[in-house]
Amino acid sequence: ETGVTQSPTHLIKTRGQQVTLRCSSQSGHNTVSWYQQALGQGPQFIFQYYREEENGRGNFPPRFSGLQFPNYSSELNVNALLLGDSALYLCASSFAGRTYEQYFGPGTRLTVT
Amino acid sequence: QQQVKQSPQSLIVQKGGIPIINCAYENTAFDYFPWYQQFPGKGPALLIAIRPDVSEKKEGRFTISFNKSAKQFSLHIMDSQPGDSATYFCAARRQAGTALIFGKGTTLSVSS
C-alpha cells in the first residue's frame, strides 16, 4: 500500500508568481483534501475534491484552485502569491464517507519572498 | 472565528505520566472528533476518533473522553514515553463529511 506523496518538498517563489503543488493519493482513496498549515498553527482546510469536482471549500480566495485527476491524484494552484501564503501545504486522502480518517502527506513547504 | 479551541499550548511531563489535552467546540454541526499526532517534518497522522454519541474510546495507551453537553473532549495518554513527544491536534469534522476543523495544537514533551 502506497502512502500519500507530495511534490516538491520545498519551494521558493517570488511575490506575484504562480505555483502548482502535486499530490498522489493513498491507493484506493477517492477523496483528496488540501490544507494550509502556518508555523505553529493547526492545518486550515482549503478545499476537498471528490470525483474530480470540488466538494467543499474553506475560507480561501479564488486564487487558490485545484484539480483532481481520474487516478485521484491532485494539484493545488495558487496565483498571485502573497508573502502570507508562505506555509506548509498538506494534502490528505481518504475514502468518501470516512473523511474523519484522513491520511496526510509530508507536505510542501512554500516560501514566498 | 476559531471553532475548535485547544489547550494547553504546550505540556511537559515525565516518562510514565498522563498528559491530558483539552478541546472545546462551538458548533454542534460536527459529527466526528479525531485526534492527530504530528512529528517535525511530517504530516499529521490519525491517532483515534470518536463520535458525539460515545462518551469514551480507548485505543492502546490513548483515550478520548467526550462530554457532549459541555461541548468538550480530551485526549489522555497513559504511561507516556519520550517517543510520544510530538504536536497533538484535536479536530472536528463538519457534517456532510468535508472539512476537518483543527485546533491550534499542543506540543507535548515527555522527559526521560
Side-chain angles (χ1 to χ4, degrees):
Chain A
E1 187 177 86
T2 306
V4 178
T5 60
Q6 293 185 242
S7 62
T9 304
H10 296 89
L11 200 53
I12 300 175
K13 289 286 190 178
T14 303
R15 189 173 50 184
Q17 287 187 317
Q18 178 266 342
V19 68
T20 297
L21 310 182
R22 294 179 174 83
C23 171
S24 290
S25 300
Q26 182 159 319
S27 177
H29 286 177
N30 54 12
T31 300
V32 64
S33 304
W34 285 91
Y35 292 82
Q36 180 194 67
Q37 186 176 22
L39 204 60
Q41 301 293 316
Q44 283 206 311
F45 176 72
I46 302 175
F47 44 56
Q48 183 182 93
Y49 277 81
Y50 172 62
R51 291 185 175 178
E52 302 175 48
E53 295 204 356
E54 190 178 288
N55 187 38
R57 188 178 185 93
N59 189 26
F60 281 81
R63 60 190 184 84
F64 286 79
S65 63
L67 285 172
Q68 185 185 30
F69 300 100
N71 65 354
Y72 304 129
S73 65
S74 177
E75 287 183 354
L76 165 65
N77 298 288
V78 187
N79 294 322
L81 285 167
L82 303 174
L83 297 179
D85 294 332
S86 296
L88 180 69
Y89 288 85
L90 294 162
C91 167
S93 71
S94 62
F95 292 109
R98 292 179 63 88
T99 51
Y100 64 88
E101 191 173 336
Q102 297 198 8
Y103 292 80
F104 284 82
T108 294
R109 172 70 62 186
L110 173 64
T111 302
V112 182
T113 62
Chain B
Q1 180 183 7
Q2 187 184 357
Q3 298 184 46
V4 179
K5 294 183 179 179
Q6 184 171 347
S7 63
Q9 185 175 356
S10 62
L11 192 52
I12 300 173
V13 299
Q14 290 193 332
K15 180 181 175 181
I18 306 175
I20 300 173
I21 304 170
N22 299 298
C23 284
Y25 61 98
E26 302 172 348
N27 187 332
T28 56
F30 292 135
D31 64 356
Y32 260 103
F33 298 86
W35 284 86
Y36 283 80
Q37 178 190 57
Q38 186 175 30
F39 292 103
K42 303 286 187 181
L46 177 67
L47 270 178
I48 184 172
I50 196 169
R51 295 178 60 98
D53 55 350
V54 176
S55 60
E56 185 176 277
K57 183 175 181 180
K58 294 183 181 180
E59 283 189 9
R61 296 185 293 109
F62 300 95
T63 298
I64 301 178
S65 298
F66 193 90
N67 186 331
K68 187 176 181 178
S69 60
K71 297 183 186 176
Q72 295 175 347
F73 57 111
S74 60
L75 176 70
H76 298 60
I77 305 175
M78 311 302 288
D79 187 27
S80 59
Q81 302 296 313
D84 296 330
S85 298
T87 300
Y88 292 81
F89 294 96
C90 62
R93 187 183 75 166
R94 288 182 192 157
Q95 289 177 353
T98 55
L100 285 180
I101 309 301
F102 284 83
K104 290 190 173 183
T106 297
T107 301
L108 171 66
S109 178
V110 181
S111 61
S112 53

